[in-house]
Amino acid sequence: MESNADGAPASMTSEELAAIEDEEVLNKMLDNTANFEERRMIRAALRDLLKKKRDKREQERGTRQQDLRQQGLSKGGTTAGGVGVGRASMNQQPSTDRPTAQPPFSRTAGGKASPAAASAQKCPPAAAPNAKNVKQMLLDWCRAKTEPYEGVHIQNFSSSWKDGIAFCALVHRFFPDAFEYYILNPNKPRENFQLAFSTAERLAGCPPLLDPDDLVRMKEPDWKCVYTYIQEFYRCLVEKGLVKTKKRP
């Protein structure tokens, strides 16, 4: 198929886009086109693909559970009881994690936080003259990159990130093969935080500046902490050539 000068396929129909089952291909197409109508069609194709994968996984999970139930009925009450316990554990919500004493960024090399470090290490305020513009640019970038993802509506650097789903969507956008986004549970924020931060560290080299336990303890994340982490993640992507820009937030 012919391509435009910017590398995006020329005049693809919605049916042709729907036939693409590779998230990375659609993401690259979305990055390479500036045409409003093409971007709208590609975003719709991305949303449909994510929904298709989620539905497929739920169907496979239901089939496996049905097979386990049938095996339990054929082998007797012991196995059936074991299956019941397994199903209950799958649906069980995580218990509330014990609050940790230190805030984000308060860990030392040995994994402990001293009182001096806890008070001295705070999320740095945006003191530069153009900090407001940089903050808005970075927020717009996050919103654009996560737009195709269901359940993600980034409006700020605080409450929009509290369940961990936005972090996962942003990381998944650049590393779609790292994990399956469509099976994530917004009711398990600690697991989502851990998944996003560990994946970003492993694949992008982004240090885990935020602590999942501290984020879960807070009613809403501190916007300065989230902002600082996203800046670092962006910087790592630029260094790896995954984001091309002349100015860094």
Side-chain angles (χ1 to χ4, degrees), residues 132-152:
K132 185 174 182 180
N133 292 336
V134 173
K135 179 185 174 185
Q136 187 59 49
M137 288 171 57
L138 192 61
L139 186 66
D140 292 341
W141 177 77
C142 292
R143 188 181 295 121
K145 293 303 178 183
T146 59
E147 185 178 6
Y149 288 84
E150 183 179 352
V152 179

Side-chain angles (χ1 to χ4, degrees), residues 223-235:
W223 76 265
K224 294 186 293 293
C225 297
V226 176
Y227 176 48
T228 302
Y229 179 84
I230 297 300
Q231 279 186 308
E232 185 65 17
F233 180 61
Y234 184 94
R235 182 188 65 79

